[in-house]
């Protein structure tokens, strides 16, 4: 039954509703048939299941050419409240991608920004971003910002597995999604089949050129800086903070991946963090206006989401699980081990909320 057909007790109002519907108009007083923005729910995706499905996809899904549906072999984490969109949150999509030995995923670029957080790799595989091979070792974070060319290659002998995070749903809501295949672009004409970019920079180029010590002549649009953060540096920074006792009561030892040129967020639409919870640590609860997707790098714990009033959920996580904490939901973390630390990597849409002046935080 359409809105116009939902009869009221008043024939004049019913006639008005029908007339408005015919002309694509609606009264603010009319009830919506379907809530277009259902409340997102906290959720946990156990790694064992995600990984099993990914490995099975490696058997049955052939990595296709750029114009075929399976041009990337990724398994999406889908928020149960918005399955229509196959989206993890309203703004961000997290997926897990597999590139098997000898495979490559062809080059393209899009207005959506993406990042990869490496889960399995032996240091042979890479994402080529704008002509630089970003070597992928476990824990490394590789950025392919807005409109940067990228292709993936695994010349090694073991699987390459990583988390993809894209702001694609935000970009779709903004009607700003454009996609281009390298093989269709003019610049690919020089290369054998347009599938992969030529390597034009030495390994480590971006970090050398745009890191904290950089050539005085270096300049790039800092909002869209391709960059890579090595896990050895992230871990060293976390451990140094832990040794110095620089702990936050709500998140434990908390590190921001900043843009080295601006000192601001990782990318304009996606902020990345790493956090360490000491053995047995329980944080205080807080909530904020941004939603966050977590990946457990190591350890085991529980994240309590929601207040007692709204029926809280206990997300019990172990190594490599992924979980989602909705915007505005109270949450706190407990490392359940009395002897081992826990480390979480997380991505959020906080930079968007901050740049719109909407970010706020409340502490219990
Ligand atoms: C994409 O381009 C990649 O380039 C991975 O590897 C995941 C998810 C949604 C839209 C585009 C990639 C993606 C994606």
């Amino acid at each position: 039954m359409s809105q116009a057909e939902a009869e009221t007790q008043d024939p004049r109002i019913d006639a008005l509703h029908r007339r408005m519907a015919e002309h694509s108009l609606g009264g603010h007083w009319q009830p919506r048939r379907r809530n277009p923005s259902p409340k997102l729910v906290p959720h946990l995706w156990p790694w064992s299941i995600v990984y099993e499905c990914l490995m099975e996809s490696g058997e049955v899904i052939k990595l296709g050419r750029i114009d075929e549906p399976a041009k990337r072999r990724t398994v999406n984490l889908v928020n149960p409240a918005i399955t229509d969109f196959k989206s993890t949150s309203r703004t961000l999509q997290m997926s897990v991608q597999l590139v098997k030995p000898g495979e490559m995923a062809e080059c393209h670029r899009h207005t959506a920004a993406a990042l990869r957080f490496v889960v399995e790799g032996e240091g042979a595989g890479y994402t080529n971003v704008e002509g630089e091979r970003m070597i992928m070792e476990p824990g490394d974070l590789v950025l392919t910002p807005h409109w940067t060319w990228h292709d993936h290659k695994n010349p090694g002998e073991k699987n390459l597995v990583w988390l993809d995070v894209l702001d694609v749903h935000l970009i779709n809501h903004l009607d700003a999604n454009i996609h281009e295949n390298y093989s269709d672009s003019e610049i690919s004409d020089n290369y054998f089949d347009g599938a992969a970019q030529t390597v034009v920079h030495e390994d480590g180029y971006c970090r050398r050129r745009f890191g904290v010590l950089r050539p005085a002549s270096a300049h790039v649009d800092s909002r869209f800086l391709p960059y890579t953060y090595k896990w050895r540096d992230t871990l060293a920074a976390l451990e140094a903070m832990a040794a110095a006792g620089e702990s936050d009561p709500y998140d434990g030892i908390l590190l921001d991946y900043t843009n080295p040129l601006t000192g601001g967020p990782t990318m304009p639409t996606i902020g990345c963090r790493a956090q360490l919870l000491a053995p047995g640590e329980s944080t205080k609860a807080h909530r904020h206006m941004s939603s966050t997707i977590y990946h457990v790098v190591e350890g085991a714990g529980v994240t309590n989401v929601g207040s007692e009033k709204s029926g809280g959920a206990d997300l019990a996580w172990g190594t490599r699980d992924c979980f989602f904490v909705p915007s505005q939901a109270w949450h706190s973390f407990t490392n359940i081990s009395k002897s081992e630390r826990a480390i979480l990597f997380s991505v959020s849409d906080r930079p968007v909320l901050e740049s719109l002046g909407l970010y706020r935080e409340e502490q219990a």
Side-chain angles (χ1 to χ4, degrees):
M1 200 194 327
S2 75
Q3 277 180 22
E5 289 158 355
E7 300 279 313
T8 69
Q9 298 302 316
D10 185 330
R12 283 185 64 194
I13 296 179
D14 293 340
L16 173 63
H17 286 172
R18 276 194 296 278
R19 181 160 161 69
M20 287 199 300
E22 273 167 31
H23 296 280
S24 302
L25 299 170
H28 191 74
W29 59 86
Q30 287 179 277
R32 285 205 202 98
R33 271 200 306 148
R34 192 172 71 89
N35 183 356
S37 46
K39 211 166 155 42
L40 296 195
V41 291
H43 193 75
L44 181 133
W45 293 265
W47 183 255
S48 55
I49 308 277
V50 174
Y51 193 71
E52 256 176 51
C53 293
L54 188 66
M55 290 304 121
E56 180 68 15
S57 79
E59 301 291 323
V60 298
I61 304 291
K62 185 177 162 291
L63 197 53
R65 298 300 306 254
I66 200 79
D67 48 0
E68 293 175 320
K71 60 191 174 198
R72 298 294 193 255
R73 190 190 290 112
T74 60
V75 171
N76 294 348
L77 308 185
V78 182
N79 192 294
I82 43 171
T83 49
D84 290 0
F85 288 113
K86 278 201 299 184
S87 182
T88 321
S89 81
R90 214 160 256 123
T91 48
L92 301 184
Q93 171 64 56
M94 184 182 276
S95 328
V96 187
Q97 181 159 174
L98 167 64
V99 183
K100 296 196 291 185
E103 287 184 334
M104 76 155 304
E106 296 188 14
C107 186
H108 65 193
R109 66 177 174 178
H110 29 71
T111 47
L115 62 84
R116 335 271 158 201
F117 185 82
V118 184
V119 181
E120 266 182 29
E122 49 177 341
Y126 58 86
T127 292
N128 183 336
V129 189
E130 295 281 312
E132 177 185 341
R133 300 184 322 159
M134 307 283 198
I135 304 294
M136 296 169 107
E137 296 175 284
D140 290 353
L141 173 65
V142 174
L143 307 185
T144 59
H146 166 83
W147 210 235
T148 49
W149 292 113
H150 55 281
D151 49 81
H152 315 298
K153 187 159 188 183
N154 182 3
E157 286 171 2
K158 296 196 176 137
N159 283 340
L160 189 51
V161 174
W162 66 75
L163 306 172
D164 292 295
V165 178
L166 286 99
D167 60 6
V168 58
H169 298 286
L170 175 66
I171 300 305
N172 281 337
H173 284 304
L174 297 172
D175 277 338
N177 202 346
I178 307 175
H179 178 107
E180 187 180 15
N181 293 330
Y182 194 70
S183 49
D184 299 332
S185 73
E186 282 174 19
I187 54 169
S188 75
D189 288 351
N190 300 336
Y191 310 123
F192 70 104
D193 69 354
Q197 296 169 81
T198 311
V199 176
V200 294
H201 299 303
E202 78 281 9
D203 292 355
Y205 168 81
C206 268
R207 286 159 57 77
R208 175 178 73 69
R209 235 177 128 67
F210 305 113
V212 284
L213 286 170
R214 70 185 75 110
S217 62
H219 89 100
V220 67
D221 186 336
S222 58
R223 287 169 303 166
F224 308 124
L225 177 67
Y227 204 70
T228 172
Y229 304 79
K230 299 304 285 181
W231 181 248
R232 56 176 177 270
D233 298 333
T234 310
L235 187 60
L238 284 171
E239 287 174 345
M241 278 179 75
E246 290 173 5
S247 189
D248 174 279
Y250 305 94
D251 281 301
I253 306 291
L254 185 62
L255 210 59
D256 265 329
Y257 289 83
T258 64
N259 175 318
L261 292 177
T262 64
T266 327
M267 292 194 281
T269 49
I270 314 176
C272 300
R273 287 180 157 174
Q275 78 194 76
L276 184 154
L277 300 164
E281 178 170 2
S282 263
T283 67
K284 290 188 186 167
H286 72 165
R287 61 179 188 155
H288 39 72
M289 193 78 94
S290 60
S291 57
T292 313
I293 313 169
Y294 293 86
H295 168 73
V296 184
V297 179
E298 60 177 73
V302 176
T303 300
N304 178 268
V305 189
S307 59
E308 273 171 33
K309 247 195 289 172
S310 66
D314 276 333
L315 304 176
W317 39 263
T319 299
R320 296 189 172 178
D321 291 347
C322 299
F323 62 94
F324 173 68
V325 177
S327 179
Q328 304 181 52
W330 289 100
H331 58 281
S332 60
F333 303 91
T334 300
N335 176 353
I336 56 168
S337 170
K338 296 284 175 250
S339 55
E340 307 292 330
R341 68 189 180 191
I343 299 181
L344 306 176
F345 169 76
S346 67
V347 293
S348 82
D349 52 10
R350 180 176 165 157
V352 179
L353 281 302
E354 280 180 334
S355 67
L356 296 176
L358 296 174
Y359 185 77
R360 49 164 86 190
E361 196 167 330
E362 193 180 350
Q363 298 165 343

